[in-house]
């Protein structure tokens, strides 16, 4: 009689879980039932344990969807970063990994020569952001300009900028690798301005801020852009030789000094 009653309860639970679009509840409830009886859990404790597993599963599933939608070129994590090559950055990155900068719409700028881990850290922080529940988009600076140019030509730039502002984090990789024409520089400035004090940016660049005027073709535009980026930002300078050259008999690549001393005050 008890077995029949239990079977009916499981059937009803399966139906209700399906109606709630939470099928994992059935599995968790069944798995935890004996444990709850043996340990003498209250009804409230049992219900809380079942729902906790459903929420955890949903969060994990949602994070994975956000990571896949972000457009990362590869999956990089803070755990697999070579901290021995960049020990000064470890504590600051650990603080950023708490996700607090996203809640305050602050930016992160990673400067340094090629191969020092800027893109790796940008992606890793993006994955952390996705796991904290934020929507993320990743692209190179060139790809962002192409995207904004297309929107501008179609007469929907304001709508595109508004849509992007709904993302908690936009990552702009490789600022400075290719120069922009004036129109492209103005579009990039609008992206930065639209997110200023609204949502976070992470930018990586092989150039010091003093070299951005050459990239954007206009010192005034570059200065105004940098001013907005660094007003609420953590700026990290990575140093050293490229990790890609290790064991290849090449000591270093041509690089440009990257300092934050030239940041506008």
């Amino acid at each position: 009689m008890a077995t029949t009653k239990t079977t009916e309860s499981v059937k009803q639970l399966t139906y209700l879980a399906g109606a709630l679009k939470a099928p994992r509840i059935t599995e968790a409830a069944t798995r935890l039932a004996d444990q709850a009886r043996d340990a003498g859990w209250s009804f409230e404790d049992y219900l809380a344990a079942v729902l906790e597993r459903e929420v955890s599963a949903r969060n994990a599933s949602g994070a994975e969807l956000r990571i896949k939608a972000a457009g990362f070129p590869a999956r990089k994590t803070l755990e697999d970063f070579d901290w021995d090559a960049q020990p000064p950055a470890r504590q600051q990155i650990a603080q950023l990994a708490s996700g607090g900068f996203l809640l305050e719409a602050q930016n992160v700028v990673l400067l340094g020569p090629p191969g020092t881990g800027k893109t790796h850290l940008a992606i890793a922080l993006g994955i952390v952001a996705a796991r904290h529940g934020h929507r993320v988009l990743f692209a190179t600076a060139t790809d962002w300009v192409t995207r904004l140019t297309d929107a501008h030509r179609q007469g929907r730039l304001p709508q595109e900028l508004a849509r992007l502002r709904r993302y908690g984090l936009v990552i702009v990789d490789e600022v400075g690798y290719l120069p922009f024409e004036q129109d492209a520089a103005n579009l990039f400035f609008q992206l930065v301005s639209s997110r200023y004090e609204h949502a976070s940016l992470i930018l990586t660049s092989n150039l010091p801020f003093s070299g951005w005027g050459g990239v954007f073709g206009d010192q005034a535009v570059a200065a105004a852009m940098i001013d907005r980026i660094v007003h609420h930002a953590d700026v990290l300078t990575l140093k050293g030789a490229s990790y890609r050259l290790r064991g290849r008999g090449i000591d270093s690549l041509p690089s440009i000094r990257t300092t934050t001393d030239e940041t506008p005050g």
Side-chain angles (χ1 to χ4, degrees):
M1 200 56 190
T3 303
T4 302
K5 187 175 181 180
T6 300
T7 301
E8 290 300 319
S9 296
V10 170
K11 287 181 179 179
Q12 185 178 20
L13 183 59
T14 301
Y15 167 75
L16 294 172
L20 290 171
K21 293 183 172 58
R24 289 176 293 253
I25 282 182
T26 303
E27 180 186 353
T30 303
R31 189 172 64 251
L32 292 171
D34 290 338
Q35 183 179 351
R37 293 188 193 96
D38 293 343
W41 292 1
S42 67
F43 295 130
E44 293 83 0
D45 289 340
Y46 174 58
L47 179 60
V50 171
L51 295 179
E52 181 182 20
R53 281 154 179 77
E54 172 64 20
V55 170
S56 296
R58 285 194 179 194
N59 286 343
S61 177
E64 190 59 32
L65 290 174
R66 289 188 290 273
I67 290 169
K68 290 180 179 178
F72 297 124
R75 184 171 295 219
K76 305 287 186 179
T77 67
L78 296 178
E79 289 74 22
D80 57 30
F81 186 76
D82 183 5
W83 294 107
D84 291 338
Q86 301 293 341
R90 187 165 198 160
Q91 182 176 356
Q92 198 166 2
I93 292 294
Q95 292 174 344
L96 292 170
S98 70
F101 78 98
L102 295 160
L103 300 177
E104 299 177 6
Q106 295 199 8
N107 303 321
V108 178
V109 183
L110 299 163
L111 304 175
T116 50
K118 302 183 300 297
T119 300
H120 185 136
L121 289 175
I123 293 172
L125 288 173
I127 288 176
V128 168
R131 289 173 176 163
H132 278 291
H134 299 277
R135 297 171 70 197
V136 182
L137 278 179
F138 176 102
T140 65
T142 301
D143 288 340
W144 278 116
V145 166
T146 299
R147 180 174 183 158
L148 296 173
T149 299
D150 290 344
H152 179 63
R153 287 173 178 167
Q154 296 169 20
R156 54 177 184 84
L157 180 62
Q159 293 90 335
E160 178 68 3
L161 292 173
R163 190 180 74 83
L164 291 174
R165 200 157 54 238
R166 293 196 289 269
Y167 284 78
L169 177 62
V170 161
I171 301 175
V172 183
D173 196 29
E174 299 181 351
V175 175
Y177 282 79
L178 293 173
F180 296 131
E181 295 183 357
Q182 186 67 52
D183 289 345
N186 288 334
L187 289 172
F188 193 83
F189 174 74
Q190 290 190 60
L191 173 63
V192 170
S193 295
S194 71
R195 298 185 66 78
Y196 176 59
E197 296 188 332
H198 287 285
S200 297
L201 284 165
I202 292 180
L203 303 99
T204 76
S205 179
N206 64 320
L207 296 175
F209 289 127
S210 61
W212 286 29
V215 174
F216 295 102
D218 188 310
Q219 294 291 345
V221 169
M225 188 182 314
I226 294 167
D227 183 65
R228 285 162 175 76
I229 290 170
V230 304
H231 183 209
H232 306 292
D234 285 273
V235 181
L236 291 80
T237 300
L238 307 182
K239 300 178 181 179
S242 170
Y243 70 87
R244 302 183 187 95
L245 302 182
R246 294 176 189 172
R248 297 182 179 273
I250 303 174
D251 293 331
S252 64
L253 290 171
S255 62
I256 299 174
R257 180 172 58 91
T258 55
T259 67
T260 58
D261 297 334
E262 299 156 276
T263 302

